[in-house]
Amino acid sequence: MERPFAITLGVGSSLANHTGSWRVEHPEYLHRMPPCNKACPAGENIQNWLYIAEDGSYEAAWNELIKENPFPAVMGRVCYHPCQTACNRGELDEAVGINSVERFLGDYAIEHGWEIAPPTKESGFKVLVIGAGPAGLSAAYHLRRAGHAVVIKDATHAPGGMMRYGIPKYRLPREILDAEIARIAKMGVQIQLNTRVDDVHDELEAFDAVFLAIGAQLSKRAYIPAGESARILDAISVLHDVENGTPPLLGRKVVVYGGGNTAMDVARTAKRLGAEEAIVVYRRTRDKAPANDLEVTEALEEGILIKWLSTVNHVDGGKLTVEKMQLDESGFPQPTGEFEDLEADSLILALGQEVDFSLLGNSADLDVVNGTMPVDSTMMTTHPGIFAGGDMIPAERTVTTSIGHGKKAARNIDAWLQGKSIEVNLEKTPVTINDLNTWYYTDAPHAVRERLEASRRVSDFSEVVKGLDESTALYEARRCMSCGNCFECDNCFGVCPDNAIKKLGPGLGYEIDLDYCKGCGICVSECPASAIQMFPDN
Amino acid sequence: MTTTPLKFYQIGSFAVGNRLVTADERSTQSDADRTNALTSGHRACQGCGEALGARYALDTAMRAAKDQIIAVNATGCLEVFSTPYPESSWRIAWLHSLFGNAPAVASGVAAALKAKGRTDIRVVGQGGDGATVDIGFGALSGMFERNDDVLYICYDNEAYMNTGVQRSGATPPAARTATTQAVGSAPGNVFGQGKFLPRIAMAHEIPYVATASIADLRDLEAKVTKAMEYRGARYIHILVPCPLGWGSASCDTIKIARLATQSGLFPLFEAVNGEMITSTPIRKKVDVEEYLKLQGRYSHLFSPKRNDEVINHLQRMADKNIERYNLMGDM
């Protein structure tokens, strides 16, 4: 080939020079465990549904959310959101208001009448769920999605379990609960109410598997010396009667004994029923009380008085004696011998609940240990084909935990029916704030949900906490830092000195061009979300 | 600041792009069809700040000039690693002559284009700090003084990296280079020498002078775009950390550039007709130590014995910058 004077070689592009051969390690895109997902008792993929919601695709976000949990509107109201406690953004400014976005999505779905498609293929298996509480409904939902025929039997006359009979209306309006349950029923789940199951074993003839979720509805008792005219009630019955429209007469001054969420709920309910004064008496301190901080705060705002470090000693004729306690070195309350009298027209005991195994009738061969029913890692009881979950098994007793049980049981029942086993996910360590490059996140404080004024709250059962409007929910979703998962900020694509990252287009992410990647690691350092890591080359 | 903050809460205007902002609000670098003025296969070291700075600046200039650019390059790393004969990494019209004459060649190209009536084609001169502040300084000053229609960009990595990390007029005090060893009573480069070219450029009262950093892409792109709006001599000085010469990890290049601005050691500002008009406020103030300790060229300040006197001296330089350029944004 003819070349100009003194030119011996033709012009070439440096693309012929594969600098990837210099490399000893290479970057890879990862899906790491965000702390919110790790903390969620229902196993929601929170980071992912927030990511989808961020561009306004609410229906897609809702569909992603309900893959794990069919109750977003309920969750957005009653979940104590351990996800927000775990949120890395809390280290930067304030945790992302995951719970409020969840509620927004749940409410938006109800408003727009979104439904869940029934399964496309029937499996031919029939599963019985006993108890229409959060665990039972969640299990039924997931089993139905997997194509099984599901019947729920419940002894009460309305479904929802503790969501209806334990959580007062001002925290969970019934039309919300009804809407989310109706959606499950519409998928083809049969809910038989006022139906008590006397022997689980009899049911095994008609059903291929059974999921027990009868809850814990028996109020624990404590021996309290009481005169004849003392009026002592238990919290669960009070909440139950209020729900059924027959609230008990509590009088003007009500004392609640206990320090859990039920104690707070029943005290707040008493206030709404017209009690002038509602006092919670608890034997330990606030930080030792099992009640959620939010519940305590809201109760205090509503004028509930709380006597910490006190026990009820004696009740009679509109009066009640409490003894002051002090914590010993090991943190147990010990009596001090100091007494105080309180006026009390009634005393409500909220000392925790027990499982009422009589509900199971003649199901004697099922093990009961320490008042709960042990299950194995697949949620199965000692009897093959009978699974259990919710408040009746040893675990934390919250709605969200129960919903998680329902899901886990449903997946295991599905596997058991098909003679398969489920691969257990390896424990993934969650991404921490130190893994993130927080430089790239702007300061954006948390959007606060409006709350009903305390003075208005105590006069009726209106919902206390309001929802977010669309723009605020969107803002809140966008505060998510997407820990451990790519959110397409283009940083890696922009910062590579070797153009060795290809941008694949919206939703498709990026790809490393290993022909040219020299393995400098800038993409890893500058990824805001810690979604890339270096791995040694072979 | 010349960038408009985006009303977007997740990552504001700090990341390169984002799927949630409209295309015109994204940086040039986020565009899958960017020019890639300096393409893959170049032989710059792992984590080279200069390769990054050159692509950032030239891609932006190409967008601003509707792809009508001729770049004139001085000798230095950027020229050596991009064009070993007969290969080229450049995807733009590119010209190289000598170490010291890039500004003069750029002036010539501009004059030729003017003579041909092709004022739509814009000229960019570029070089490292050695070519700019030392060897080609006379030619550059002439280019400024005649107000030739050239945007000159200096990629400042604070020494002659190509030939083996020798001190340049832009090497900061206390830094170890091959010619300023960390020995004796005043280890590293001496205090009180060297020059900060942006201020000298301002003294020429040319239409536009700016400093920029590869750690602040949007600010850099805004400045290059703005520079392209002017005719006449313009100067942009970009800090580009060099993992090899600075003794830093290749993955820390952008982090170090960011710490340089956040400590105040490298101020970001722009000047029009010799007067400073804006400076980019420090967002998360750090002590100079944070910046120094990531770099091997300053390791003698920390071991075997910590040299507080020198560290404090460098801190005072940063503090003086903060005051002089109003970097805390309280003006």
Side-chain angles (χ1 to χ4, degrees), chain B residues 101-138:
Chain B
N101 68 356
V105 174
S107 293
V109 173
L113 290 169
K114 191 178 173 194
K116 297 190 80 168
R118 292 301 303 269
T119 45
D120 56 321
I121 303 175
R122 310 297 303 272
V123 183
V124 176
Q126 57 179 359
D129 52 294
T132 307
V133 314
D134 296 345
I135 301 177
F137 180 64

Side-chain angles (χ1 to χ4, degrees), chain A residues 233-436:
Chain A
L233 302 100
D234 77 78
I236 294 300
S237 320
V238 171
L239 293 171
H240 203 279
D241 291 347
V242 170
E243 181 56 30
N244 282 339
T246 52
L249 294 172
L250 299 173
R252 290 186 304 116
K253 302 199 171 191
V254 179
V255 171
V256 176
Y257 194 20
N261 293 322
T262 309
M264 300 302 150
D265 282 346
V266 82
R268 294 171 70 184
T269 298
K271 223 25 200 213
R272 284 168 172 78
L273 289 175
E276 279 171 20
E277 198 174 87
I279 303 176
V280 173
V281 174
Y282 179 59
R283 66 198 166 97
R284 295 191 293 178
T285 51
R286 176 167 178 174
D287 55 318
K288 290 229 168 21
N292 187 276
D293 223 32
L294 217 70
E295 285 253 25
V296 177
T297 309
E298 285 182 2
L300 290 170
E301 281 169 5
E302 288 168 15
I304 310 285
L305 299 172
I306 306 182
K307 289 205 169 290
W308 305 109
L309 285 171
S310 306
T311 53
V312 177
N313 239 9
H314 185 262
V315 202
D316 199 11
K319 242 195 198 141
L320 170 156
T321 315
V322 296
E323 180 171 6
K324 290 202 177 131
M325 308 294 276
Q326 65 184 22
L327 295 185
D328 64 15
E329 281 163 6
S330 54
F332 279 101
Q334 301 294 350
T336 57
E338 261 182 78
F339 295 93
E340 187 187 350
D341 284 345
L342 295 177
E343 281 182 61
D345 296 320
S346 55
L347 171 67
I348 305 175
L349 302 180
L351 302 165
Q353 286 107 256
E354 282 166 346
V355 185
D356 185 359
F357 283 104
S358 72
L359 290 174
L360 291 177
N362 316 313
S363 310
D365 74 322
L366 295 170
D367 263 5
V368 174
V369 178
N370 294 332
T372 54
M373 187 172 283
V375 290
D376 66 10
S377 63
T378 69
M379 310 291 282
M380 190 147 73
T381 63
T382 42
H383 189 291
I386 300 181
F387 296 74
D391 287 355
M392 67 182 290
I393 68 165
E396 196 188 18
R397 287 176 176 171
T398 67
V399 176
T400 322
T401 306
S402 292
I403 287 173
H405 286 172
K407 179 178 91 170
K408 191 176 169 194
R411 291 186 181 170
N412 281 296
I413 290 170
D414 179 59
W416 184 80
L417 288 172
Q418 303 184 50
K420 292 186 203 155
S421 63
I422 295 182
E423 273 182 53
V424 183
N425 278 352
L426 289 173
E427 284 288 290
K428 281 186 169 178
T429 10
V431 174
T432 68
I433 186 79
N434 296 327
D435 296 328
L436 305 176

Side-chain angles (χ1 to χ4, degrees), chain B residues 158-172:
Chain B
E158 303 188 333
Y160 289 86
M161 299 313 184
N162 177 42
T163 49
V165 199
Q166 292 87 3
R167 174 198 180 276
S168 80
T171 301

Side-chain angles (χ1 to χ4, degrees), chain B residues 47 213 228 249-250 254 284:
Chain B
S213 160
M228 295 301 287
S250 63
I254 291 182
K284 290 180 181 168

Side-chain angles (χ1 to χ4, degrees), chain A residues 8-10 12 14 17 51 54 439-440 442 478 480 489 491 493-494 496-499 503 518 520 525-526, chain B residues 9-11 16-17 19 29-30 34 36 38-44 46 55 85-86 88-89 250-251 258 283:
Chain A
T8 53
L9 295 169
S14 64
N17 183 24
Y51 173 81
E54 277 165 20
W439 168 264
Y440 292 102
T442 28
R478 289 177 172 191
C480 172
C489 72
N491 251 22
F493 177 67
C496 176
D498 295 289
N499 301 325
K503 185 172 167 176
K518 291 172 185 163
C520 69
S525 317
E526 299 307 315
Chain B
Y9 312 101
Q10 189 172 45
I11 45 170
V16 171
R19 66 184 180 116
Q29 284 305 307
S30 76
R34 66 187 182 206
N36 266 338
L38 182 68
T39 196
S40 311
H42 62 72
R43 292 153 199 247
Q46 290 173 319
R55 192 184 77 219
Y85 177 72
S88 175
S89 307
S250 63
C251 61
R258 185 156 56 233
R283 217 176 123 218

Side-chain angles (χ1 to χ4, degrees), chain A residues 93-354:
Chain A
D93 39 41
E94 291 159 283
V96 176
I98 297 165
N99 190 249
S100 54
V101 182
E102 184 168 27
R103 169 165 166 181
F104 168 78
L105 290 175
D107 288 357
Y108 204 80
I110 292 172
E111 210 176 291
H112 290 78
W114 294 339
E115 286 178 10
I116 307 160
T120 46
K121 222 174 75 188
E122 298 291 335
S123 69
F125 291 110
K126 273 187 91 177
V127 183
L128 172 66
V129 173
I130 302 176
L137 287 165
S138 161
Y141 162 80
H142 287 286
L143 286 164
R144 186 71 198 123
R145 278 201 116 174
H148 307 302
V150 186
V151 177
I152 306 180
K153 296 187 179 182
D154 193 283
T156 60
H157 65 266
M162 279 297 174
M163 294 190 285
R164 184 180 304 276
Y165 294 106
I167 297 174
K169 273 182 196 154
Y170 59 84
R171 279 179 60 207
L172 177 55
R174 299 306 179 233
E175 60 275 15
I176 298 293
L177 179 63
D178 292 341
E180 295 206 314
I181 295 176
R183 205 159 46 206
I184 296 173
K186 220 167 172 183
M187 292 166 71
V189 170
Q190 261 191 60
I191 305 176
Q192 298 176 4
L193 299 168
N194 302 311
T195 309
R196 181 184 282 267
V197 175
D198 286 321
D199 192 330
V200 182
H201 299 92
D202 292 347
E203 307 288 342
L204 283 173
E205 285 167 25
F207 294 96
D208 300 297
V210 176
F211 178 59
L212 299 175
I214 58 168
Q217 302 155 48
L218 220 53
S219 280
K220 273 188 193 161
R221 290 276 169 180
Y223 174 71
I224 295 168
E228 278 174 16
S229 61
R231 183 165 167 72
I232 303 181
L233 302 100
D234 77 78
I236 294 300
S237 320
V238 171
L239 293 171
H240 203 279
D241 291 347
V242 170
E243 181 56 30
N244 282 339
T246 52
L249 294 172
L250 299 173
R252 290 186 304 116
K253 302 199 171 191
V254 179
V255 171
V256 176
Y257 194 20
N261 293 322
T262 309
M264 300 302 150
D265 282 346
V266 82
R268 294 171 70 184
T269 298
K271 223 25 200 213
R272 284 168 172 78
L273 289 175
E276 279 171 20
E277 198 174 87
I279 303 176
V280 173
V281 174
Y282 179 59
R283 66 198 166 97
R284 295 191 293 178
T285 51
R286 176 167 178 174
D287 55 318
K288 290 229 168 21
N292 187 276
D293 223 32
L294 217 70
E295 285 253 25
V296 177
T297 309
E298 285 182 2
L300 290 170
E301 281 169 5
E302 288 168 15
I304 310 285
L305 299 172
I306 306 182
K307 289 205 169 290
W308 305 109
L309 285 171
S310 306
T311 53
V312 177
N313 239 9
H314 185 262
V315 202
D316 199 11
K319 242 195 198 141
L320 170 156
T321 315
V322 296
E323 180 171 6
K324 290 202 177 131
M325 308 294 276
Q326 65 184 22
L327 295 185
D328 64 15
E329 281 163 6
S330 54
F332 279 101
Q334 301 294 350
T336 57
E338 261 182 78
F339 295 93
E340 187 187 350
D341 284 345
L342 295 177
E343 281 182 61
D345 296 320
S346 55
L347 171 67
I348 305 175
L349 302 180
L351 302 165
Q353 286 107 256
E354 282 166 346

